[in-house]
Amino acid sequence: QVQLVESGGGLVQPGGSLRLSCAASGITFSAYVMAWYRQAPGKERELVATITTGRGTSYADSVKGRFTISRDNIKNMVYLQMNSLRSEDTAVYYCYGRRVNGYWGQGTQVTVSS
């Protein structure tokens, strides 16, 4: 079965960094567009970053220049490097993969607070 498993979340001070990882199994990973979404309390889930099969990337305006999405098609992993974190980045971060159908991970909590 398809599994997307996120890791790397936690508590970090403003200005700090975190690297999220998502391990994929049960899919032909290299054929999937991968993305990171986030959902803050009381808000809708929003797209943070996308990486295509050709490694093209796109970002939400709120994270441009601070976050970097990457993928490793050998390890079936997608990453989100988050730098210069702000309190407004606090959310549950979800990994998402899509080819024809889309699949979600269970999410990992990121809390930015002093």
Side-chain angles (χ1 to χ4, degrees):
Q1 71 278 20
V2 178
Q3 279 194 310
L4 299 177
V5 180
E6 303 95 336
S7 61
L11 174 64
V12 63
Q13 292 187 343
S17 297
L18 280 176
R19 188 195 195 205
L20 304 184
S21 299
C22 172
S25 59
I27 58 174
T28 306
F29 180 77
S30 60
Y32 276 67
V33 174
M34 300 300 298
W36 288 95
Y37 283 75
R38 68 186 180 186
Q39 188 167 19
K43 295 189 176 181
E44 293 186 354
R45 193 171 296 190
E46 64 171 349
L47 178 62
V48 175
T50 302
I51 186 164
T52 67
T53 56
R55 300 180 188 274
T57 59
S58 61
Y59 298 92
D61 287 344
S62 59
V63 307
K64 278 181 183 176
R66 300 188 298 122
F67 290 11
T68 302
I69 188 171
S70 61
R71 66 190 298 159
D72 184 331
N73 289 343
I74 302 299
K75 296 182 178 178
N76 289 0
M77 299 285 293
V78 61
Y79 306 100
L80 187 67
Q81 178 66 44
M82 306 187 295
N83 299 328
S84 302
L85 283 161
R86 306 167 181 169
S87 57
E88 54 263 39
D89 296 317
T90 295
V92 178
Y93 283 71
Y94 297 90
C95 179
Y96 177 74
R98 178 180 58 82
R99 185 178 182 184
V100 176
N101 298 320
Y103 301 95
W104 292 96
Q106 83 288 350
T108 185
Q109 176 71 48
V110 172
T111 302
V112 184
S113 175
S114 55

